[in-house]
Amino acid sequence: MDPRKLILAGFERALPYIKTPDGKPMPDWIFMKLQEPERLLEGRIVIPIDDGTNATFLYYRSQHNTWCGPAKGGIRYHPDVNQEEVIFLSMGMTAKTAVIGLPFGGGKGGIAPRYNNLTPERTTFLRDYFPKKMSALVSERLTREYTEKIAPIIGPEKDIPAPDVYTNAQVMAWIMDEYSKIVGYTCPAVVTGKPIVLGGSLGRHEATARGTFFVTMAALNHLGIDDEDHSVVVQGYGNAGCIAAKLFYDAGFKIIGISDSKGGIYNLKGLNPHKVELHKIKSGSVINYPDSDLIDNEELLELRCSILLPAALENVITKDNAPRIKAKIIAEPANGPTTIEADDILYERGIFRIPDILANAGGVTVSYFEWVQNMERLDWTEDEVNARLKNKLVNAFNRVLTESVANKVSMGVAAYIHAGKRLTAAGMLRG
Ligand code: NAD
C-alpha cells in the first residue's frame, strides 16, 4: 500500500467500531468529509535562485479538518512534495490531534520546484538544488513569498504551521516575521517550532522522543513487566531515534541495537547511545562503533528485545517480517512504519504495538503548548512542559487502551476508533 494512504485505511478499518455519542454508527457524511480536506490552497511562486536564473515553485497548504480547532501541521520543503502527499499528511495530523485530544485539527503544507516543460538537465539540477543546496538568502525569499500567499488562510485561530522535512526554527522565524508584518503586530502564535527567543517552547526539540518514552512506560506498566532488565532496539538515529535511545538509556534501559541508513550495530551487553551519537557525528554513521557487531537493518528489526523503536522510514514492518519480530512492545517514533497486515499479525502474536499517531504525537503536543504559551504570554519551564506532556500522552494512551480492550482490537485499530469518535462527536455537534 502507498504509505500515504495508511491514515485513510486506518479510519476505514476502525469504521465498524466508531459510534456516535448515543451509540449509533458514524453517519456517512462524517466519513465523506474526512476523506478530503476542507480547504486546499495551491499556486506558484517565481523567484531568482542562486545560479542567477528564475525558478518556479509549486506551493500547497491543505487544511484537512478544523472541527475541534485551528488546523495544525508542518511545512515540508522537498523535491517530491505534491498535492496528494500534502493532503494525506494533513489527514494524518487530523488523526494525531484527535487521538491526543488537542483543540486543533489537521493541516500540512509544502513546496517543490515545478518540473513541467523543463529540460532533463534543469530538472536534475533543481531536484539536487532544492532544498539542500539552496542558500539561506533564497530560502528566506521563498519562505517569505510562501507566507504572503498563505497569509489569508493561516493565523493563530485558523491554521498554525510548524517545521517538517527540511524546514526548521529559522524558517518558522521568517514566517512569523512576514506574517507579523502583514497583520501589523508581532504574532508569535502563528507558527510553532520557533527559536526560543521568539516564543519557542522549551522541551520542543526532544518532545517526539519523550512522548514515545512516556507511552512506552505506560505500556510496560499495563503489561505488568516494568520491573525487568529491559532491552531496546532503535532503527534510525536522527532526531527521533537518537533522542529516544538516550532517554531510555538514561532511565536504566539496555540499548542493544541501533541503526541508520548505512547499517546497524548491536551488542547484547548494551551500547552507550551518547557515545554512539558522538561516533556518528565524527564518522557520519553508527556503523563501526567500537565494541559492537554489524547487523543489517532487516535483521535488526528481528532481534529479541523488550522494546523495538522504528524511528526511520515507512513500511519497514510488513506481513513478511511481522511473523519473525521478537519484541514485546513496538513503539513508533516514525510515521507509518507498520503496515495494516503486519498490525493484524502482531496483534495475533500478542506483540503490543503503540501506533505512530499515538507514539510520536509528543511533537505536536508540545507545539500545542508553545501556542498556548504564546497566546497567554506565558513562559513555562522545561519540567512544566514535560509534566504536561506526560499527562496528555498517558491519558491518551489509557483512552486508546480502553477502546482496544473493549472492542478486542489492536492498539492500532483502537487509536483510530478513539480519534474517529472524537471527530464524529465534534462534527455532529457542529452539524
Ligand atoms: P531524521 O532525518 O533526523 O532521522 C532519520 C534517521 O533514519 C537517520 O538516522 C537516517 O540515517 C535513518 N535512516 C534512513 N533510512 C534508513 C534505513 N533504510 N534504515 C535505517 N535507518 C534509516 O528524521 P527524524 O526527525 O528523526 O524522523 C524519523 C521519523 O520520525 C520519520 O518517519 C518522521 O516522520 C517521524 N517523526 C519525527 C518527528 C520529529 O519531531 N522529529 C515527529 C513525528 C514523527
Side-chain angles (χ1 to χ4, degrees), residues 238-283:
N239 179 273
C242 178
I243 297 176
K246 292 189 287 184
L247 287 172
F248 278 92
Y249 177 83
D250 293 345
F253 291 74
K254 189 161 75 174
I255 313 297
I256 60 166
I258 292 177
S259 72
D260 62 22
S261 58
K262 303 215 172 103
I265 53 172
Y266 81 105
N267 181 341
L268 297 181
K269 292 200 195 114
L271 300 157
N272 179 332
H274 298 276
K275 290 187 179 163
V276 176
E277 183 186 21
L278 292 178
H279 175 79
K280 185 174 163 80
I281 291 168
K282 250 197 278 168
S283 71

Short mmCIF file of all heavy atoms in Angstrom, two decimals, residues 238-283:
data_model
loop_
_atom_site.label_atom_id
_atom_site.label_comp_id
_atom_site.label_asym_id
_atom_site.label_seq_id
_atom_site.Cartn_x
_atom_site.Cartn_y
_atom_site.Cartn_z
N GLY A 238 18.27 9.58 13.94
CA GLY A 238 18.15 11.02 13.73
C GLY A 238 17.51 11.66 14.94
O GLY A 238 17.67 11.17 16.07
N ASN A 239 16.78 12.72 14.72
CA ASN A 239 16.18 13.46 15.83
C ASN A 239 15.34 12.53 16.73
O ASN A 239 15.56 12.49 17.94
CB ASN A 239 15.31 14.59 15.26
CG ASN A 239 14.62 15.39 16.35
OD1 ASN A 239 13.54 15.03 16.80
ND2 ASN A 239 15.27 16.44 16.81
N ALA A 240 14.43 11.77 16.15
CA ALA A 240 13.54 10.95 16.96
C ALA A 240 14.28 9.77 17.60
O ALA A 240 14.21 9.56 18.82
CB ALA A 240 12.38 10.47 16.10
N GLY A 241 15.00 8.99 16.78
CA GLY A 241 15.63 7.75 17.27
C GLY A 241 16.74 7.99 18.27
O GLY A 241 16.83 7.31 19.30
N CYS A 242 17.61 8.95 17.98
CA CYS A 242 18.77 9.19 18.85
C CYS A 242 18.32 9.72 20.21
O CYS A 242 18.79 9.25 21.26
CB CYS A 242 19.72 10.16 18.15
SG CYS A 242 21.16 10.58 19.12
N ILE A 243 17.40 10.67 20.20
CA ILE A 243 16.94 11.22 21.49
C ILE A 243 16.20 10.14 22.27
O ILE A 243 16.38 10.00 23.49
CB ILE A 243 16.07 12.48 21.28
CG1 ILE A 243 16.91 13.58 20.62
CG2 ILE A 243 15.50 12.97 22.61
CD1 ILE A 243 16.15 14.84 20.27
N ALA A 244 15.40 9.32 21.58
CA ALA A 244 14.68 8.25 22.28
C ALA A 244 15.68 7.28 22.92
O ALA A 244 15.53 6.91 24.10
CB ALA A 244 13.76 7.51 21.31
N ALA A 245 16.71 6.88 22.17
CA ALA A 245 17.70 5.94 22.71
C ALA A 245 18.34 6.51 23.97
O ALA A 245 18.51 5.81 24.98
CB ALA A 245 18.77 5.65 21.66
N LYS A 246 18.66 7.80 23.96
CA LYS A 246 19.31 8.41 25.13
C LYS A 246 18.35 8.48 26.32
O LYS A 246 18.75 8.24 27.46
CB LYS A 246 19.84 9.81 24.76
CG LYS A 246 21.01 9.75 23.77
CD LYS A 246 21.69 11.09 23.56
CE LYS A 246 20.87 12.04 22.75
NZ LYS A 246 21.49 13.30 22.44
N LEU A 247 17.06 8.77 26.03
CA LEU A 247 16.10 8.83 27.14
C LEU A 247 15.93 7.46 27.80
O LEU A 247 15.90 7.34 29.04
CB LEU A 247 14.72 9.31 26.63
CG LEU A 247 14.61 10.79 26.27
CD1 LEU A 247 13.27 11.08 25.59
CD2 LEU A 247 14.74 11.65 27.53
N PHE A 248 15.82 6.42 26.98
CA PHE A 248 15.67 5.06 27.54
C PHE A 248 16.93 4.66 28.31
O PHE A 248 16.85 4.11 29.40
CB PHE A 248 15.34 4.05 26.42
CG PHE A 248 13.88 4.03 26.04
CD1 PHE A 248 13.39 4.82 25.00
CD2 PHE A 248 12.97 3.24 26.72
CE1 PHE A 248 12.05 4.82 24.65
CE2 PHE A 248 11.62 3.22 26.39
CZ PHE A 248 11.16 4.02 25.34
N TYR A 249 18.08 4.93 27.72
CA TYR A 249 19.36 4.57 28.37
C TYR A 249 19.48 5.28 29.73
O TYR A 249 19.81 4.66 30.74
CB TYR A 249 20.51 4.97 27.45
CG TYR A 249 21.88 4.74 28.01
CD1 TYR A 249 22.48 3.48 27.94
CD2 TYR A 249 22.59 5.78 28.61
CE1 TYR A 249 23.76 3.27 28.44
CE2 TYR A 249 23.87 5.58 29.10
CZ TYR A 249 24.44 4.32 29.03
OH TYR A 249 25.70 4.12 29.53
N ASP A 250 19.19 6.59 29.73
CA ASP A 250 19.32 7.38 30.97
C ASP A 250 18.34 6.89 32.04
O ASP A 250 18.56 7.12 33.23
CB ASP A 250 19.12 8.87 30.69
CG ASP A 250 20.25 9.45 29.84
OD1 ASP A 250 21.29 8.78 29.70
OD2 ASP A 250 20.07 10.55 29.28
N ALA A 251 17.24 6.24 31.58
CA ALA A 251 16.27 5.72 32.55
C ALA A 251 16.61 4.29 32.97
O ALA A 251 15.81 3.63 33.66
CB ALA A 251 14.87 5.77 31.94
N GLY A 252 17.76 3.76 32.53
CA GLY A 252 18.22 2.45 33.00
C GLY A 252 17.96 1.30 32.03
O GLY A 252 18.20 0.14 32.37
N PHE A 253 17.46 1.59 30.85
CA PHE A 253 17.23 0.52 29.88
C PHE A 253 18.54 0.17 29.16
O PHE A 253 19.45 0.99 29.10
CB PHE A 253 16.19 0.96 28.83
CG PHE A 253 14.80 1.10 29.40
CD1 PHE A 253 14.45 2.17 30.22
CD2 PHE A 253 13.82 0.16 29.11
CE1 PHE A 253 13.18 2.31 30.73
CE2 PHE A 253 12.53 0.28 29.62
CZ PHE A 253 12.23 1.37 30.43
N LYS A 254 18.57 -1.06 28.61
CA LYS A 254 19.79 -1.50 27.91
C LYS A 254 19.54 -1.39 26.41
O LYS A 254 18.64 -2.05 25.88
CB LYS A 254 20.08 -2.96 28.30
CG LYS A 254 21.41 -3.44 27.81
CD LYS A 254 21.87 -4.67 28.58
CE LYS A 254 21.12 -5.90 28.14
NZ LYS A 254 21.58 -7.13 28.73
N ILE A 255 20.35 -0.56 25.73
CA ILE A 255 20.18 -0.37 24.27
C ILE A 255 21.06 -1.41 23.59
O ILE A 255 22.29 -1.32 23.64
CB ILE A 255 20.62 1.06 23.84
CG1 ILE A 255 20.04 2.14 24.76
CG2 ILE A 255 20.26 1.31 22.37
CD1 ILE A 255 18.56 2.27 24.79
N ILE A 256 20.43 -2.41 22.94
CA ILE A 256 21.26 -3.49 22.37
C ILE A 256 21.46 -3.37 20.86
O ILE A 256 22.34 -3.99 20.30
CB ILE A 256 20.70 -4.89 22.72
CG1 ILE A 256 19.27 -5.07 22.17
CG2 ILE A 256 20.76 -5.14 24.22
CD1 ILE A 256 18.82 -6.52 22.19
N GLY A 257 20.64 -2.56 20.18
CA GLY A 257 20.81 -2.42 18.73
C GLY A 257 20.43 -1.03 18.26
O GLY A 257 19.49 -0.43 18.77
N ILE A 258 21.22 -0.50 17.32
CA ILE A 258 20.99 0.85 16.77
C ILE A 258 21.33 0.79 15.29
O ILE A 258 22.31 0.14 14.90
CB ILE A 258 21.91 1.89 17.46
CG1 ILE A 258 21.53 2.08 18.93
CG2 ILE A 258 21.86 3.23 16.71
CD1 ILE A 258 22.45 3.04 19.70
N SER A 259 20.54 1.50 14.45
CA SER A 259 20.91 1.54 13.03
C SER A 259 20.65 2.91 12.43
O SER A 259 19.94 3.73 13.01
CB SER A 259 20.14 0.49 12.23
OG SER A 259 18.80 0.88 12.11
N ASP A 260 21.26 3.15 11.27
CA ASP A 260 20.91 4.30 10.45
C ASP A 260 20.89 3.83 9.00
O ASP A 260 20.89 2.63 8.75
CB ASP A 260 21.86 5.50 10.70
CG ASP A 260 23.31 5.19 10.35
OD1 ASP A 260 23.56 4.26 9.55
OD2 ASP A 260 24.20 5.85 10.90
N SER A 261 20.87 4.77 8.06
CA SER A 261 20.70 4.36 6.66
C SER A 261 21.88 3.53 6.16
O SER A 261 21.76 2.80 5.18
CB SER A 261 20.52 5.59 5.77
OG SER A 261 21.63 6.43 5.91
N LYS A 262 23.04 3.62 6.82
CA LYS A 262 24.22 2.88 6.34
C LYS A 262 24.32 1.46 6.92
O LYS A 262 25.12 0.66 6.48
CB LYS A 262 25.50 3.65 6.69
CG LYS A 262 25.46 5.07 6.10
CD LYS A 262 26.85 5.52 5.64
CE LYS A 262 26.76 6.82 4.88
NZ LYS A 262 27.17 7.98 5.66
N GLY A 263 23.51 1.15 7.95
CA GLY A 263 23.55 -0.18 8.56
C GLY A 263 23.36 -0.10 10.06
O GLY A 263 23.08 0.97 10.60
N GLY A 264 23.53 -1.26 10.70
CA GLY A 264 23.25 -1.30 12.14
C GLY A 264 24.38 -1.89 12.95
O GLY A 264 25.30 -2.52 12.41
N ILE A 265 24.30 -1.68 14.27
CA ILE A 265 25.27 -2.26 15.20
C ILE A 265 24.51 -2.91 16.35
O ILE A 265 23.40 -2.49 16.66
CB ILE A 265 26.23 -1.18 15.78
CG1 ILE A 265 25.43 -0.01 16.39
CG2 ILE A 265 27.18 -0.68 14.72
CD1 ILE A 265 26.29 1.00 17.15
N TYR A 266 25.11 -3.93 16.95
CA TYR A 266 24.47 -4.48 18.15
C TYR A 266 25.50 -5.02 19.12
O TYR A 266 26.62 -5.38 18.74
CB TYR A 266 23.40 -5.51 17.80
CG TYR A 266 23.91 -6.90 17.48
CD1 TYR A 266 23.76 -7.94 18.42
CD2 TYR A 266 24.52 -7.17 16.27
CE1 TYR A 266 24.22 -9.21 18.14
CE2 TYR A 266 24.98 -8.44 15.99
CZ TYR A 266 24.83 -9.46 16.93
OH TYR A 266 25.29 -10.70 16.64
N ASN A 267 25.11 -5.03 20.37
CA ASN A 267 25.91 -5.62 21.43
C ASN A 267 24.92 -6.01 22.53
O ASN A 267 24.27 -5.15 23.11
CB ASN A 267 26.94 -4.61 21.96
CG ASN A 267 27.81 -5.22 23.05
OD1 ASN A 267 27.43 -6.24 23.65
ND2 ASN A 267 28.95 -4.61 23.31
N LEU A 268 24.81 -7.32 22.76
CA LEU A 268 23.79 -7.78 23.72
C LEU A 268 24.08 -7.31 25.13
O LEU A 268 23.20 -7.29 25.98
CB LEU A 268 23.67 -9.31 23.65
CG LEU A 268 23.19 -9.83 22.29
CD1 LEU A 268 23.06 -11.35 22.31
CD2 LEU A 268 21.88 -9.20 21.86
N LYS A 269 25.34 -6.89 25.39
CA LYS A 269 25.66 -6.38 26.73
C LYS A 269 25.25 -4.91 26.87
O LYS A 269 25.28 -4.36 27.96
CB LYS A 269 27.15 -6.51 26.99
CG LYS A 269 27.60 -7.95 27.10
CD LYS A 269 28.94 -8.01 27.82
CE LYS A 269 29.59 -9.35 27.63
NZ LYS A 269 30.84 -9.28 26.85
N GLY A 270 24.95 -4.27 25.74
CA GLY A 270 24.47 -2.88 25.80
C GLY A 270 25.42 -1.90 25.13
O GLY A 270 26.64 -2.07 25.17
N LEU A 271 24.83 -0.87 24.52
CA LEU A 271 25.59 0.21 23.87
C LEU A 271 25.28 1.50 24.62
O LEU A 271 24.19 1.66 25.17
CB LEU A 271 25.10 0.39 22.43
CG LEU A 271 25.23 -0.82 21.50
CD1 LEU A 271 24.24 -0.71 20.34
CD2 LEU A 271 26.65 -0.92 20.96
N ASN A 272 26.27 2.42 24.60
CA ASN A 272 26.01 3.73 25.21
C ASN A 272 25.58 4.70 24.10
O ASN A 272 26.41 5.11 23.29
CB ASN A 272 27.28 4.23 25.91
CG ASN A 272 27.07 5.59 26.54
OD1 ASN A 272 26.26 6.39 26.08
ND2 ASN A 272 27.82 5.86 27.60
N PRO A 273 24.29 5.09 24.04
CA PRO A 273 23.81 5.88 22.90
C PRO A 273 24.43 7.28 22.83
O PRO A 273 24.50 7.87 21.75
CB PRO A 273 22.30 5.96 23.13
CG PRO A 273 22.08 5.65 24.55
CD PRO A 273 23.21 4.78 25.00
N HIS A 274 24.88 7.80 23.97
CA HIS A 274 25.55 9.11 23.95
C HIS A 274 26.87 8.99 23.16
O HIS A 274 27.21 9.83 22.35
CB HIS A 274 25.84 9.60 25.37
CG HIS A 274 24.59 9.82 26.18
ND1 HIS A 274 23.86 10.98 26.12
CD2 HIS A 274 23.94 9.02 27.06
CE1 HIS A 274 22.81 10.89 26.94
NE2 HIS A 274 22.85 9.70 27.52
N LYS A 275 27.59 7.89 23.44
CA LYS A 275 28.87 7.69 22.74
C LYS A 275 28.63 7.33 21.28
O LYS A 275 29.40 7.72 20.41
CB LYS A 275 29.68 6.59 23.44
CG LYS A 275 30.19 7.04 24.80
CD LYS A 275 31.12 6.01 25.39
CE LYS A 275 31.63 6.48 26.74
NZ LYS A 275 32.20 5.39 27.54
N VAL A 276 27.55 6.56 21.01
CA VAL A 276 27.23 6.22 19.62
C VAL A 276 26.92 7.51 18.84
O VAL A 276 27.32 7.67 17.69
CB VAL A 276 26.05 5.23 19.53
CG1 VAL A 276 25.66 4.97 18.08
CG2 VAL A 276 26.37 3.91 20.24
N GLU A 277 26.25 8.44 19.49
CA GLU A 277 25.93 9.71 18.83
C GLU A 277 27.22 10.46 18.45
O GLU A 277 27.36 10.95 17.33
CB GLU A 277 25.07 10.58 19.76
CG GLU A 277 24.64 11.88 19.12
CD GLU A 277 23.91 12.81 20.09
OE1 GLU A 277 24.06 12.65 21.32
OE2 GLU A 277 23.19 13.70 19.60
N LEU A 278 28.18 10.50 19.40
CA LEU A 278 29.45 11.19 19.11
C LEU A 278 30.17 10.51 17.95
O LEU A 278 30.72 11.16 17.06
CB LEU A 278 30.34 11.18 20.35
CG LEU A 278 29.85 12.04 21.53
CD1 LEU A 278 30.79 11.92 22.72
CD2 LEU A 278 29.70 13.51 21.11
N HIS A 279 30.12 9.15 17.96
CA HIS A 279 30.75 8.39 16.87
C HIS A 279 30.09 8.74 15.53
O HIS A 279 30.77 8.92 14.52
CB HIS A 279 30.61 6.89 17.17
CG HIS A 279 31.11 6.01 16.08
ND1 HIS A 279 32.44 5.74 15.88
CD2 HIS A 279 30.43 5.35 15.09
CE1 HIS A 279 32.56 4.94 14.83
NE2 HIS A 279 31.36 4.70 14.34
N LYS A 280 28.76 8.86 15.54
CA LYS A 280 28.03 9.19 14.29
C LYS A 280 28.37 10.61 13.82
O LYS A 280 28.54 10.85 12.63
CB LYS A 280 26.52 9.04 14.51
CG LYS A 280 25.71 9.24 13.23
CD LYS A 280 24.24 8.96 13.44
CE LYS A 280 23.37 9.53 12.33
NZ LYS A 280 23.27 8.79 11.12
N ILE A 281 28.49 11.52 14.77
CA ILE A 281 28.84 12.91 14.39
C ILE A 281 30.23 12.93 13.74
O ILE A 281 30.45 13.59 12.72
CB ILE A 281 28.78 13.84 15.63
CG1 ILE A 281 27.33 14.00 16.10
CG2 ILE A 281 29.39 15.21 15.32
CD1 ILE A 281 27.16 14.65 17.46
N LYS A 282 31.14 12.15 14.33
CA LYS A 282 32.53 12.15 13.82
C LYS A 282 32.65 11.41 12.48
O LYS A 282 33.31 11.87 11.56
CB LYS A 282 33.44 11.46 14.84
CG LYS A 282 34.39 12.45 15.52
CD LYS A 282 35.54 11.75 16.20
CE LYS A 282 35.12 11.24 17.57
NZ LYS A 282 36.03 10.32 18.19
N SER A 283 31.99 10.23 12.38
CA SER A 283 32.24 9.35 11.23
C SER A 283 31.11 9.38 10.20
O SER A 283 31.25 8.83 9.11
CB SER A 283 32.42 7.91 11.72
OG SER A 283 31.17 7.41 12.15
#
